[in-house]
Amino acid sequence: LTSRHAENNELAPLAELLREARHQYLADPEAAKTALTSAGESPISPAVPLSEIAATAIMVRAILCSDECIHKL
């Protein structure tokens, strides 16, 4: 989305965000379910844990909300 690969200094905060979100959603599976069912239309795959999908969604939102991504769109 930003038309370039991320630098290491950009990857570290995203990795930390993903780690924290995984921890949060593993500790509170109901929050993961709520986060995923409150928006979107696609069915959720039972093959992937809800906590992993919800944590990844948090990280993707952070990327999509970055200035670099917004200005490229």
Side-chain angles (χ1 to χ4, degrees):
L1 293 171
T2 62
S3 70
R4 66 173 179 82
H5 293 286
E7 301 290 331
N8 286 339
N9 65 331
E10 296 167 319
L11 291 175
L14 290 173
E16 179 63 17
L17 177 63
L18 181 59
R19 187 192 68 72
E20 289 178 7
R22 281 178 177 149
H23 179 73
Q24 173 189 344
Y25 288 130
L26 281 170
D28 188 358
E30 193 59 35
K33 183 178 179 181
T34 300
L36 293 172
T37 58
S38 63
E41 298 176 5
S42 297
I44 298 169
S45 170
V48 181
L50 290 179
S51 59
E52 186 64 22
I53 298 170
T56 302
I58 293 291
M59 186 189 61
V60 169
R61 286 183 193 136
I63 293 169
L64 290 174
C65 289
S66 70
D67 286 343
E68 191 163 352
C69 186
I70 291 170
H71 293 293
K72 288 286 182 182
L73 298 175

XYZ file of all heavy atoms in Angstrom:
544
model
N 0.807 -1.213 0.000
C 0.000 0.000 0.000
C 0.839 1.260 0.000
O 0.382 2.294 -0.418
C -0.920 0.013 1.223
C -2.012 -1.054 1.222
C -2.719 -1.084 2.555
C -2.978 -0.829 0.106
N 2.050 1.147 0.514
C 2.908 2.330 0.533
C 3.908 2.302 -0.610
O 4.750 3.177 -0.699
C 3.670 2.446 1.862
O 4.513 1.298 2.003
C 2.728 2.549 3.034
N 3.830 1.305 -1.451
C 4.676 1.117 -2.633
C 6.155 0.920 -2.304
O 7.014 1.176 -3.135
C 4.492 2.247 -3.637
O 5.039 3.463 -3.176
N 6.438 0.477 -1.097
C 7.809 0.141 -0.715
C 7.762 -0.825 0.462
O 6.755 -0.926 1.162
C 8.622 1.377 -0.342
C 8.118 2.061 0.922
C 9.054 3.183 1.351
N 8.569 3.839 2.536
C 8.742 3.396 3.784
N 9.368 2.280 4.026
N 8.276 4.085 4.813
N 8.867 -1.510 0.667
C 8.969 -2.392 1.822
C 9.217 -1.551 3.074
O 9.880 -0.519 3.012
C 10.107 -3.393 1.641
C 9.838 -4.377 0.545
N 8.943 -5.417 0.681
C 10.333 -4.465 -0.704
C 8.904 -6.104 -0.439
N 9.738 -5.547 -1.311
N 8.700 -2.025 4.182
C 8.891 -1.311 5.443
C 10.339 -1.427 5.914
O 10.991 -2.440 5.698
C 7.955 -1.874 6.500
N 10.813 -0.395 6.554
C 12.141 -0.394 7.169
C 12.052 -1.119 8.519
O 10.975 -1.234 9.102
C 12.617 1.051 7.399
C 12.699 1.884 6.143
C 13.813 1.452 5.215
O 14.829 0.926 5.703
O 13.662 1.641 3.986
N 13.193 -1.583 9.009
C 13.212 -2.293 10.295
C 12.648 -1.448 11.430
O 11.947 -1.964 12.296
C 14.631 -2.753 10.641
C 15.053 -3.935 9.803
O 14.224 -4.653 9.257
N 16.342 -4.132 9.699
N 12.951 -0.146 11.416
C 12.436 0.717 12.482
C 10.919 0.910 12.380
O 10.289 1.357 13.329
C 13.160 2.068 12.501
C 12.908 2.883 11.246
O 12.674 2.340 10.167
N 12.971 4.194 11.377
N 10.336 0.592 11.254
C 8.883 0.656 11.097
C 8.242 -0.684 11.451
O 7.100 -0.726 11.899
C 8.524 1.027 9.656
C 9.003 2.411 9.267
C 8.926 2.667 7.783
O 9.254 1.768 6.982
O 8.533 3.796 7.419
N 8.977 -1.759 11.239
C 8.442 -3.089 11.527
C 8.360 -3.364 13.024
O 7.429 -4.030 13.476
C 9.295 -4.162 10.853
C 9.227 -4.212 9.337
C 10.215 -5.230 8.800
C 7.820 -4.533 8.871
N 9.314 -2.871 13.779
C 9.349 -3.148 15.214
C 8.066 -2.701 15.932
O 7.483 -3.492 16.685
C 10.586 -2.531 15.852
N 7.587 -1.479 15.721
C 6.344 -1.078 16.394
C 5.130 -1.895 15.936
O 4.242 -2.197 16.735
C 6.168 0.400 16.023
C 7.501 0.851 15.576
C 8.198 -0.347 15.025
N 5.109 -2.278 14.663
C 3.995 -3.092 14.176
C 4.033 -4.485 14.798
O 2.991 -5.036 15.170
C 4.025 -3.191 12.655
C 3.681 -1.913 11.908
C 3.916 -2.095 10.414
C 2.252 -1.484 12.180
N 5.222 -5.038 14.920
C 5.363 -6.353 15.557
C 4.933 -6.291 17.015
O 4.272 -7.206 17.522
C 6.799 -6.845 15.438
N 5.293 -5.212 17.696
C 4.884 -5.043 19.098
C 3.377 -4.874 19.210
O 2.744 -5.440 20.103
C 5.610 -3.837 19.709
C 5.254 -3.557 21.145
C 5.640 -4.671 22.116
O 6.455 -5.537 21.761
O 5.107 -4.665 23.237
N 2.793 -4.108 18.315
C 1.338 -3.942 18.306
C 0.641 -5.280 18.104
O -0.320 -5.605 18.801
C 0.928 -2.961 17.210
C -0.565 -2.731 17.012
C -1.193 -2.118 18.265
C -0.805 -1.856 15.792
N 1.137 -6.075 17.173
C 0.557 -7.388 16.910
C 0.705 -8.293 18.139
O -0.240 -8.982 18.527
C 1.221 -8.025 15.692
C 0.702 -9.390 15.267
C -0.786 -9.348 14.937
C 1.502 -9.906 14.084
N 1.878 -8.264 18.773
C 2.108 -9.089 19.967
C 1.152 -8.701 21.086
O 0.536 -9.556 21.728
C 3.557 -8.943 20.437
C 3.927 -9.889 21.577
C 5.253 -9.525 22.214
N 5.221 -8.264 22.943
C 4.602 -8.075 24.112
N 3.942 -9.053 24.679
N 4.636 -6.905 24.707
N 0.993 -7.407 21.318
C 0.099 -6.934 22.372
C -1.361 -7.275 22.061
O -2.118 -7.660 22.964
C 0.254 -5.434 22.567
C 1.556 -5.045 23.218
C 1.716 -3.541 23.350
O 0.765 -2.780 23.063
O 2.832 -3.119 23.735
N -1.756 -7.119 20.819
C -3.135 -7.433 20.442
C -3.403 -8.935 20.585
O -4.472 -9.337 21.048
C -3.416 -6.970 19.016
N -2.441 -9.768 20.191
C -2.593 -11.216 20.372
C -2.791 -11.546 21.842
O -3.668 -12.323 22.209
C -1.361 -11.951 19.851
C -1.312 -12.110 18.368
C -0.028 -12.809 17.964
N 0.019 -13.052 16.537
C 1.128 -13.080 15.844
N 2.301 -12.901 16.428
N 1.082 -13.308 14.549
N -1.952 -10.951 22.675
C -2.036 -11.194 24.120
C -3.410 -10.771 24.659
O -4.043 -11.498 25.427
C -0.912 -10.437 24.828
C -0.907 -10.596 26.295
N -0.515 -11.755 26.918
C -1.261 -9.745 27.285
C -0.622 -11.618 28.224
N -1.076 -10.408 28.464
N -3.856 -9.608 24.232
C -5.152 -9.086 24.688
C -6.293 -10.014 24.275
O -7.153 -10.357 25.090
C -5.395 -7.695 24.112
C -6.785 -7.153 24.402
C -7.084 -5.864 23.648
O -6.172 -5.210 23.142
N -8.333 -5.507 23.568
N -6.306 -10.416 23.018
C -7.411 -11.219 22.519
C -7.345 -12.674 22.975
O -8.382 -13.327 23.076
C -7.507 -11.122 21.000
C -8.023 -9.770 20.546
C -7.356 -9.042 19.580
C -9.182 -9.228 21.083
C -7.836 -7.805 19.160
C -9.662 -7.997 20.678
C -8.981 -7.288 19.713
O -9.472 -6.077 19.311
N -6.155 -13.178 23.264
C -6.065 -14.517 23.856
C -6.619 -14.506 25.272
O -7.249 -15.467 25.712
C -4.618 -15.012 23.857
C -4.101 -15.548 22.531
C -2.593 -15.783 22.611
C -4.821 -16.832 22.148
N -6.384 -13.410 25.990
C -6.880 -13.276 27.355
C -8.384 -13.010 27.401
O -9.041 -13.320 28.399
C -6.137 -12.153 28.077
N -8.920 -12.449 26.321
C -10.344 -12.095 26.284
C -10.944 -12.494 24.936
O -11.160 -11.643 24.070
C -10.505 -10.592 26.522
C -11.946 -10.156 26.690
O -12.859 -11.008 26.595
O -12.164 -8.943 26.897
N -11.214 -13.789 24.746
C -11.751 -14.253 23.464
C -13.072 -13.585 23.069
O -13.341 -13.401 21.889
C -11.952 -15.753 23.682
C -11.095 -16.105 24.840
C -11.005 -14.876 25.686
N -13.851 -13.204 24.052
C -15.128 -12.543 23.739
C -14.885 -11.192 23.069
O -15.624 -10.791 22.172
C -15.966 -12.378 25.008
C -17.405 -12.008 24.741
C -18.161 -13.033 23.888
O -17.909 -14.241 24.010
O -19.012 -12.591 23.086
N -13.832 -10.488 23.481
C -13.489 -9.204 22.852
C -13.085 -9.423 21.398
O -13.427 -8.621 20.532
C -12.372 -8.514 23.616
N -12.360 -10.508 21.131
C -11.982 -10.819 19.746
C -13.217 -11.088 18.908
O -13.342 -10.588 17.785
C -11.046 -12.029 19.719
N -14.137 -11.847 19.459
C -15.372 -12.160 18.728
C -16.166 -10.887 18.451
O -16.651 -10.681 17.337
C -16.204 -13.155 19.525
C -17.451 -13.595 18.820
C -18.211 -14.628 19.628
C -19.472 -15.046 18.904
N -20.246 -16.029 19.672
N -16.283 -10.029 19.451
C -17.014 -8.778 19.292
C -16.351 -7.883 18.249
O -17.034 -7.297 17.411
C -17.103 -8.032 20.632
O -17.782 -8.867 21.571
C -17.851 -6.725 20.489
N -15.028 -7.813 18.296
C -14.300 -6.970 17.337
C -14.523 -7.433 15.911
O -14.608 -6.623 14.991
C -12.810 -6.980 17.669
N -14.642 -8.727 15.719
C -14.779 -9.265 14.363
C -16.216 -9.287 13.865
O -16.449 -9.205 12.665
C -14.191 -10.667 14.306
C -12.683 -10.711 14.510
C -12.220 -12.146 14.639
C -11.967 -10.007 13.381
N -17.156 -9.417 14.750
C -18.550 -9.513 14.306
C -19.253 -8.164 14.281
O -20.368 -8.064 13.781
C -19.343 -10.492 15.187
O -19.279 -10.064 16.544
C -18.804 -11.903 15.062
N -18.584 -7.113 14.797
C -19.224 -5.795 14.803
C -19.078 -5.077 13.468
O -19.717 -4.062 13.247
C -18.641 -4.937 15.927
O -17.269 -4.706 15.695
N -18.242 -5.593 12.582
C -18.047 -4.971 11.271
C -17.683 -6.045 10.261
O -17.218 -7.115 10.620
C -16.942 -3.924 11.342
N -17.898 -5.747 9.017
C -17.513 -6.678 7.955
C -18.648 -7.590 7.550
O -19.616 -7.777 8.283
N -18.515 -8.131 6.366
C -19.570 -8.977 5.822
C -19.099 -10.392 5.523
O -19.912 -11.281 5.310
C -20.110 -8.348 4.535
C -20.730 -6.987 4.757
C -21.183 -6.332 3.458
O -21.098 -6.965 2.387
O -21.631 -5.181 3.518
N -17.805 -10.610 5.475
C -17.283 -11.926 5.130
C -17.391 -12.876 6.308
O -17.211 -12.472 7.468
C -15.805 -11.825 4.728
O -15.676 -11.031 3.587
N -17.669 -14.138 6.024
C -17.707 -15.113 7.120
C -16.303 -15.320 7.690
O -15.300 -15.163 6.981
C -18.217 -16.389 6.447
C -17.951 -16.205 4.999
C -17.966 -14.732 4.741
N -16.230 -15.646 8.952
C -14.959 -15.857 9.631
C -14.589 -17.332 9.530
O -15.378 -18.207 9.864
C -15.056 -15.418 11.106
C -15.372 -13.929 11.168
C -13.773 -15.726 11.853
C -15.750 -13.433 12.543
N -13.381 -17.596 9.078
C -12.910 -18.968 8.910
C -12.710 -19.630 10.270
O -12.031 -19.079 11.136
C -11.586 -18.988 8.152
O -11.033 -20.281 8.188
N -13.265 -20.810 10.462
C -13.043 -21.519 11.721
C -11.633 -22.113 11.800
O -11.205 -22.561 12.856
C -14.105 -22.618 11.709
C -14.419 -22.825 10.262
C -14.199 -21.504 9.591
N -10.880 -22.094 10.696
C -9.533 -22.669 10.672
C -8.502 -21.774 11.362
O -7.426 -22.236 11.729
C -9.105 -22.930 9.235
N -8.817 -20.505 11.533
C -7.889 -19.560 12.145
C -8.506 -19.054 13.448
O -9.672 -18.650 13.463
C -7.601 -18.368 11.198
C -6.611 -17.402 11.815
C -7.109 -18.863 9.847
N -7.756 -19.056 14.542
C -8.303 -18.572 15.820
C -8.782 -17.129 15.727
O -8.129 -16.290 15.093
C -7.120 -18.696 16.787
C -6.174 -19.663 16.156
C -6.369 -19.517 14.675
N -9.906 -16.856 16.360
C -10.451 -15.491 16.358
C -9.449 -14.487 16.909
O -9.363 -13.354 16.422
C -11.739 -15.426 17.179
C -12.957 -16.127 16.596
C -14.143 -15.990 17.549
C -13.312 -15.569 15.237
N -8.685 -14.895 17.915
C -7.712 -13.978 18.504
C -6.666 -13.554 17.476
O -6.235 -12.401 17.452
C -7.026 -14.626 19.712
O -6.373 -15.823 19.330
N -6.270 -14.469 16.601
C -5.270 -14.153 15.574
C -5.857 -13.230 14.504
O -5.208 -12.277 14.065
C -4.743 -15.433 14.930
C -3.614 -15.213 13.980
C -2.346 -14.667 14.625
O -2.160 -14.829 15.846
O -1.545 -14.066 13.900
N -7.071 -13.485 14.107
C -7.723 -12.634 13.101
C -7.922 -11.231 13.650
O -7.629 -10.232 12.985
C -9.065 -13.242 12.650
C -8.836 -14.597 11.980
C -9.788 -12.289 11.691
C -10.116 -15.366 11.716
N -8.403 -11.125 14.886
C -8.649 -9.812 15.490
C -7.343 -9.046 15.687
O -7.280 -7.848 15.414
C -9.371 -9.979 16.821
N -6.289 -9.724 16.134
C -4.997 -9.059 16.335
C -4.429 -8.573 15.009
O -3.910 -7.452 14.920
C -4.024 -10.017 17.014
N -4.537 -9.384 13.987
C -4.040 -8.985 12.666
C -4.834 -7.804 12.135
O -4.274 -6.889 11.523
C -4.097 -10.174 11.692
O -3.317 -11.248 12.234
C -3.568 -9.806 10.326
N -6.128 -7.786 12.389
C -6.962 -6.665 11.952
C -6.515 -5.360 12.609
O -6.505 -4.304 11.952
C -8.431 -6.942 12.263
N -6.132 -5.422 13.867
C -5.639 -4.225 14.564
C -4.381 -3.701 13.875
O -4.232 -2.504 13.627
C -5.334 -4.549 16.047
C -6.620 -4.867 16.812
C -4.547 -3.426 16.721
C -7.539 -3.689 17.016
N -3.462 -4.617 13.552
C -2.220 -4.207 12.903
C -2.498 -3.626 11.507
O -1.921 -2.610 11.119
C -1.252 -5.374 12.802
C 0.101 -4.970 12.259
S 1.179 -6.352 11.896
C 0.253 -7.216 10.656
N -3.379 -4.255 10.758
C -3.707 -3.774 9.413
C -4.344 -2.385 9.482
O -4.026 -1.503 8.674
C -4.614 -4.779 8.678
C -5.180 -4.192 7.408
C -3.845 -6.060 8.392
N -5.201 -2.172 10.455
C -5.803 -0.842 10.623
C -4.733 0.212 10.873
O -4.816 1.337 10.369
C -6.814 -0.848 11.763
C -8.093 -1.537 11.407
C -9.091 -1.440 12.565
N -10.185 -2.358 12.318
C -10.720 -3.159 13.224
N -10.267 -3.153 14.463
N -11.712 -3.955 12.914
N -3.729 -0.142 11.678
C -2.642 0.800 11.958
C -1.900 1.157 10.672
O -1.560 2.325 10.440
C -1.682 0.211 12.988
N -1.661 0.163 9.837
C -0.979 0.421 8.561
C -1.850 1.293 7.663
O -1.380 2.265 7.073
C -0.628 -0.903 7.856
C 0.427 -1.664 8.666
C -0.133 -0.640 6.434
C 0.632 -3.093 8.200
N -3.121 0.955 7.552
C -4.018 1.713 6.676
C -4.231 3.146 7.142
O -4.547 4.020 6.334
C -5.364 0.997 6.553
C -5.343 -0.308 5.769
C -6.707 -0.993 5.853
C -4.959 -0.065 4.326
N -4.054 3.387 8.438
C -4.239 4.739 8.966
C -2.948 5.550 8.974
O -2.955 6.704 9.389
C -4.808 4.667 10.378
S -6.526 4.127 10.403
N -1.860 4.947 8.526
C -0.584 5.692 8.515
C -0.639 6.797 7.465
O -1.300 6.680 6.432
C 0.577 4.745 8.219
O 0.536 4.302 6.890
N 0.064 7.867 7.743
C 0.096 8.990 6.807
C 0.572 8.567 5.428
O 0.032 8.987 4.414
C 1.012 10.109 7.329
C 0.402 10.886 8.466
O -0.820 10.786 8.648
O 1.155 11.579 9.172
N 1.590 7.730 5.395
C 2.149 7.316 4.104
C 1.125 6.550 3.277
O 1.019 6.744 2.067
C 3.397 6.465 4.310
C 4.133 6.234 3.040
C 5.552 5.751 3.261
O 6.016 5.732 4.398
O 6.181 5.412 2.261
N 0.346 5.726 3.912
C -0.671 4.965 3.194
C -1.808 5.868 2.745
O -2.271 5.795 1.617
C -1.206 3.853 4.086
S -2.354 2.751 3.236
N -2.223 6.761 3.602
C -3.330 7.664 3.274
C -2.964 8.575 2.109
O -3.756 8.784 1.193
C -3.742 8.489 4.511
C -4.410 7.566 5.544
C -4.681 9.637 4.124
C -4.630 8.200 6.885
N -1.761 9.077 2.118
C -1.338 9.993 1.044
C -1.109 9.266 -0.272
O -1.142 9.896 -1.324
C -0.118 10.795 1.467
C -0.409 11.753 2.567
N -1.220 12.845 2.411
C -0.043 11.749 3.880
C -1.330 13.496 3.542
N -0.625 12.847 4.448
N -0.875 7.956 -0.243
C -0.717 7.187 -1.476
C -2.066 6.915 -2.108
O -2.174 6.752 -3.301
C -0.009 5.855 -1.208
C 1.440 5.998 -0.906
C 2.191 6.315 -2.171
C 3.666 6.402 -1.880
N 4.437 6.737 -3.039
N -3.114 6.818 -1.286
C -4.443 6.534 -1.814
C -4.999 7.766 -2.472
O -5.632 7.836 -3.407
C -5.381 6.053 -0.702
C -4.968 4.761 -0.024
C -5.908 4.469 1.131
C -4.992 3.615 -0.996
